[in-house]
Amino acid sequence: KKEKEKEKEKDEKKKGPKDDDIKTHMANERTFFKWLFFGFHIGAMGTFVLTFFSANTPGRVYMVAGVWVIAFFFVYYGLFRYFARRRALRLGLTSPTDWDDPAGPALMAGAMFLIVIAIVIFAILTDSVPTKGGWKHDEPGLTSPGDGSDTNPAEPTPLSNDTDLIPIP
């Protein structure tokens, strides 16, 4: 019986660690994709600043560039963690220091909080308020949707007062 148990152990060692299976590798890959998506969501917040703040807002481009630098940091951090875990899986390393990432969630939450706060402070300091569909300024040559320049005179306009109402019989 002992010989059979020793043969079994040798077979298991040849196959590699029990945790080194396709499910674990795919979970590692899914985790990388989550880091990738998070990075691009952070980048979308930078694009929000670019899209919804006026072109004349001072520092707008620097704000966007800073947010995208942070976004790419998270993409590369996720890539680094992916390869570190992949290496740990392939070598059968079981120590939590080889695959665990206790700082990752704190980094994510902290970055999201700081970026949202930075955008709010940016809006306050530049006296800007983002609006859907662009900006309405009194500057010559600048128009935005909803300022009347994009309406077709042939189309009906919303009712302006009660005299325009047609009684329903």
Side-chain angles (χ1 to χ4, degrees), residues 6-17 20:
K6 286 182 182 180
E7 286 179 29
K8 250 186 184 179
E9 287 177 14
K10 286 181 184 178
D11 289 340
E12 286 178 8
K13 286 181 182 179
K14 287 179 187 176
K15 291 179 186 176
D20 187 20

Side-chain angles (χ1 to χ4, degrees), residues 27-150:
N28 186 32
E29 189 174 297
R30 283 191 304 273
T31 303
F32 166 67
F33 286 129
K34 293 296 181 183
W35 280 103
L36 186 71
F37 295 152
F38 180 76
F40 285 119
H41 283 108
I42 292 286
M45 293 172 80
T47 304
F48 164 81
V49 171
L50 186 64
T51 304
F52 289 103
F53 283 88
S54 169
N56 298 330
T57 304
R60 177 181 75 125
V61 174
Y62 296 114
M63 180 72 158
V64 172
V67 171
W68 271 102
V69 165
I70 294 169
F72 281 115
F73 164 78
F74 280 103
V75 169
Y76 288 116
Y77 183 79
L79 188 64
F80 167 76
R81 295 302 309 156
Y82 168 76
F83 281 114
R85 285 188 181 113
R86 182 176 175 219
R87 178 183 164 275
L89 288 169
R90 288 183 177 226
L91 296 176
L93 304 174
T94 57
S95 172
T97 57
D98 295 321
W99 51 264
D100 195 17
D101 185 16
L107 282 173
M108 292 171 80
M112 184 68 79
F113 176 76
L114 289 176
I115 288 171
V116 169
I117 294 299
I119 290 172
V120 169
I121 290 172
F122 178 75
I124 292 169
L125 291 178
T126 59
D127 196 27
S128 302
V129 180
T131 59
K132 187 175 181 181
W135 284 83
K136 190 172 183 178
H137 289 285
D138 294 331
E139 301 165 17
L142 288 180
T143 59
S144 66
D147 66 356
S149 63
D150 59 347

